[in-house]
Amino acid sequence: SGVARQASKLLTPRLVAKRTGVMCCDIQERFVPLIKNMDSVVLCSKWVLSAARELKMPVIATEQYPKALGSTVKEVKAELEGAHMFEKTQFSMLTETVVETVKKQENVDTWVIIGIESHVCVQQTVLGLLEMDKHVFVLADAVSSQYIGDRYIALERMRQAGAVVTTTESAIFELLGDFKHPLAKKLSKGGKGRPECGLPQGLPQASGKL
């Protein structure tokens, strides 16, 4: 029916490496002791950035006022070789230069978001990308905030706005598509020993009820 066809157009497509990029938001040293479940953010961010490098996906990374907040956590920075790196003071990653970089990725219509804080810089970046008609996937175990409530509600708001909220392992396996993929065995090891991400059982439903 026409209604069914219209609904299908609104669905976010599956993750496909050749049309997907990763945006890494402000995973900086100053935040390490402050952010809830930062160990999950760091490990899962390393994992998806490693996958992006292996799959030759574009990566954009930002640092929020590094003079005061420090540089990117070194474990994450080690995975950012070849990434587009930018400093910023505004909350959204989408500064003028970042928007120009996004537009230059002509074959990329989908962005995977990781970083901090969920309810400020990550959320504003997600809303901005959606306004640019991009598909957005937020990795729930690779984003966080100082307060778990802020993180929880931000994930719901981003979902209501049109982003897909998923997990790092789910996203990586979707990008691979098949365990026969030559990188599947290597990339599947990236999450070994990962900590619990700290989210309560079951995220809010799309209805918005908490």
Side-chain angles (χ1 to χ4, degrees):
S1 69
V3 173
R5 285 196 297 274
Q6 180 64 24
S8 69
K9 292 179 182 179
L10 299 176
L11 294 175
T12 299
R14 290 177 182 269
L15 288 169
V16 177
K18 65 182 179 182
R19 64 168 190 256
T20 301
V22 177
M23 299 191 82
C24 177
C25 183
D26 308 346
I27 306 177
Q28 291 162 255
E29 294 286 353
R30 179 70 178 84
F31 294 114
V32 171
L34 303 175
I35 300 296
K36 289 286 191 294
N37 302 106
M38 188 66 173
D39 51 352
S40 175
V41 173
V42 170
L43 189 148
C44 290
S45 295
K46 286 173 52 183
W47 192 10
V48 75
L49 289 169
S50 173
R53 186 181 65 250
E54 295 285 355
L55 294 167
K56 296 180 171 52
M57 295 158 53
V59 174
I60 296 174
T62 58
E63 293 178 338
Q64 176 75 8
Y65 194 46
K67 183 177 180 180
L69 300 175
S71 61
T72 301
V73 173
K74 58 185 177 181
E75 299 98 313
V76 174
K77 197 168 188 176
E79 301 294 342
L80 289 173
E81 184 177 352
H84 302 277
M85 297 283 297
F86 302 93
E87 295 182 7
K88 66 183 180 67
T89 57
Q90 73 175 43
F91 296 123
S92 171
M93 291 179 69
L94 299 176
T95 62
E96 184 176 336
T97 50
V98 171
V99 168
E100 289 174 2
T101 303
V102 168
K103 289 179 177 178
K104 287 178 182 177
Q105 314 304 314
E106 295 180 355
N107 297 322
V108 175
D109 64 3
T110 303
W111 290 92
V112 171
I113 307 293
I114 57 177
I116 52 181
E117 288 187 68
S118 312
H119 64 298
V120 184
C121 299
V122 171
Q123 180 174 278
Q124 290 186 31
T125 302
V126 167
L127 296 176
L129 285 169
L130 292 169
E131 288 174 348
M132 293 175 67
D133 293 323
K134 302 299 182 182
H135 302 297
V136 184
F137 285 70
V138 182
L139 303 191
D141 48 0
V143 301
S144 194
S145 300
Q146 294 184 58
Y147 295 95
I148 199 68
D150 285 332
R151 178 191 188 193
Y152 190 66
I153 299 301
L155 289 171
E156 170 60 358
R157 179 170 179 202
M158 290 184 281
R159 176 189 278 170
Q160 290 177 329
V164 174
V165 177
T166 187
T167 64
T168 302
E169 183 171 66
S170 177
I172 290 173
F173 280 24
E174 190 169 329
L175 287 164
L176 292 169
D178 192 322
F179 198 70
K180 291 182 179 179
H181 191 292
L183 291 170
K185 190 171 182 180
K186 179 179 182 180
L187 293 179
S188 67
K189 296 177 181 178
K192 187 177 180 180
R194 68 187 185 275
E196 288 294 328
C197 65
L199 288 169
Q201 291 185 346
L203 289 174
Q205 299 302 306
S207 66
K209 294 179 181 178
L210 298 175

